[in-house]
Amino acid sequence: MIEENLIQVKKSIPNNVHLIAVSKTKPISLIREAYNTGHLDFGENKVQELVNKQAELPKDIRWHMIGHLQSNKVKYIAPFIHMIHGVESFKLLKEINKQGKKHNRVIKCLLQFHIAQETTKFGLSYQDAIAILENELYPELQNISICGVMGMATFSNDEALVLKEFDSLKEIFTKLVAHSSITNDFKIISMGMSNDYELAIQKGSNMVRIGSKIFGARIN
Ligand SMILES: *Cc1c(COP(=O)(O)O)cnc(C)c1O
């Protein structure tokens, strides 16, 4: 069943759009099923769950941390994490850098922006991002790489609203590309989930994070 779902989802997205299979709350056995089809990118949103799954599963899986990350927990994922999608403070970025250095790695990060109307969704404003990039200590962060932006739209059937929010993230991305602290690694626009990824792709997403459409509905 997982294989069929993956095939269906992959058919529905263009080749240049990268798929992250969001496996949060789902058992190891289902992740293994997806892995056995050749899929390597998986997303989790809780540190403990991510660490447990990483230990059990093949080491060529690329793990994406897509949830809210507290600075004091970076150390648990720093040895292996492929990409951290939810960077929303300089403090967190500094800690990721410190842990990256310990493990002699450069950790890929995305800046998370607040584009939704809901106040519960985390993220930076454009001005907050500029403040991070222009922090006097930013040039010292040699063990992180800012690879793009991430955002979540309002959970809504109002297509016009969702399109507008995705558009705002695309616009932020385009403005940031020109910033002097931004490098050639800055390429990713991570937006779109099971219910809205087609709209996100219309607005320029090149990385979608899809869970329930692959693994089935979550009970939570
Ligand atoms: C859970 C989650 C997803 C996937 O959600 P689905 O609706 O199941 O596709 C994507 N992004 C983030 C940040 C999530 O927490």
Coordinates of all heavy atoms in Angstrom, one line a residue, residues 22 24 45 66-67 150 152 192-195 209-213 218, ligand 1:
V22 N 6.9 12.3 5.1 CA 6.8 12.6 6.5 C 6.2 11.4 7.3 O 5.0 11.0 7.2 CB 5.9 13.9 6.7 CG1 5.7 14.2 8.2 CG2 6.5 15.1 6.0
K24 N 6.3 10.9 10.7 CA 6.0 11.1 12.2 C 4.8 10.3 12.6 O 3.9 10.2 11.9 CB 5.8 12.6 12.4 CG 4.6 13.2 11.7 CD 4.5 14.7 11.8 CE 3.2 15.2 11.3 NZ 3.2 16.7 11.1
N45 N 9.1 15.2 13.2 CA 9.0 16.5 13.9 C 9.3 16.4 15.4 O 9.2 17.4 16.1 CB 7.7 17.1 13.6 CG 6.5 16.4 14.4 OD1 6.7 15.2 14.7 ND2 5.4 17.0 14.5
I66 N 11.6 18.5 10.7 CA 10.7 19.5 10.1 C 9.9 20.2 11.2 O 9.1 21.0 10.9 CB 9.7 18.8 9.1 CG1 8.9 17.7 9.8 CG2 10.5 18.2 7.9 CD1 7.7 17.2 8.9
G67 N 10.1 19.7 12.5 CA 9.3 20.3 13.6 C 10.0 21.4 14.3 O 11.2 21.8 14.0
M150 N 11.4 27.7 4.4 CA 10.3 26.7 4.7 C 9.2 27.5 5.3 O 9.4 28.5 6.0 CB 10.8 25.7 5.7 CG 9.8 24.6 6.0 SD 8.8 25.0 7.5 CE 8.6 23.3 8.1
M152 N 4.6 27.1 6.3 CA 3.3 26.3 6.2 C 2.2 27.3 6.1 O 2.1 28.3 6.8 CB 3.1 25.6 7.6 CG 3.7 24.2 7.6 SD 3.4 23.4 9.2 CE 4.6 24.1 10.2
G192 N 4.3 23.0 1.1 CA 3.3 22.1 0.6 C 3.3 20.8 1.4 O 4.3 20.2 1.6
M193 N 2.0 20.4 1.8 CA 1.8 19.2 2.6 C 0.7 18.4 1.8 O 0.3 18.8 0.7 CB 1.4 19.5 4.0 CG 2.3 20.5 4.6 SD 2.0 21.2 6.3 CE 1.0 20.1 7.1
S194 N 0.2 17.3 2.4 CA -0.8 16.5 1.7 C -1.9 17.2 1.1 O -2.3 17.0 -0.1 CB -1.3 15.4 2.6 OG -0.3 14.5 2.9
N195 N -2.5 18.2 1.8 CA -3.7 18.8 1.4 C -3.5 20.1 0.5 O -4.4 20.6 -0.1 CB -4.6 19.2 2.6 CG -3.8 20.2 3.5 OD1 -2.7 20.1 3.8 ND2 -4.5 21.3 3.8
R209 N 6.5 18.3 1.6 CA 6.6 17.4 2.8 C 5.3 16.7 3.0 O 4.3 17.3 3.4 CB 7.0 18.3 4.1 CG 8.2 19.2 3.9 CD 8.3 20.1 5.2 NE 7.1 20.7 5.5 CZ 6.7 21.9 5.1 NH1 7.5 22.6 4.3 NH2 5.6 22.5 5.4
I210 N 5.2 15.5 2.6 CA 3.9 14.8 2.5 C 3.9 13.6 3.4 O 4.7 12.7 3.4 CB 3.6 14.4 1.0 CG1 3.6 15.7 0.2 CG2 2.4 13.6 1.0 CD1 3.2 15.5 -1.2
G211 N 2.9 13.6 4.3 CA 2.8 12.5 5.3 C 1.6 11.6 5.0 O 1.7 10.5 4.5
S212 N 0.4 12.1 5.4 CA -0.8 11.3 5.4 C -1.1 10.7 4.0 O -1.7 9.6 3.9 CB -2.0 12.0 6.0 OG -2.0 13.4 5.5
K213 N -0.8 11.4 3.0 CA -1.1 10.9 1.6 C -0.2 9.7 1.3 O -0.6 8.9 0.4 CB -0.9 12.0 0.6 CG -2.0 11.9 -0.5 CD -1.9 13.1 -1.5 CE -2.5 12.5 -2.7 NZ -3.2 13.4 -3.6
R218 N -3.1 10.2 10.4 CA -2.5 10.0 11.7 C -3.6 10.1 12.8 O -4.6 10.9 12.6 CB -1.4 11.1 12.0 CG -0.2 10.9 11.3 CD 0.8 12.1 11.6 NE 0.2 13.4 11.2 CZ 0.3 13.9 10.0 NH1 1.0 13.3 9.0 NH2 -0.2 15.1 9.8
Ligands
LIG1 C1 3.1 16.7 9.7 C2 3.8 17.7 8.8 C3 3.8 17.6 7.4 C4 3.0 16.5 6.7 O1 1.6 16.7 6.9 P1 0.5 15.9 6.0 O2 -0.7 16.7 6.1 O3 0.3 14.5 6.7 O4 1.1 15.7 4.7 C5 4.5 18.5 6.7 N1 5.2 19.5 7.3 C6 5.3 19.6 8.6 C7 6.1 20.7 9.2 C8 4.6 18.7 9.4 O5 4.6 18.9 10.8

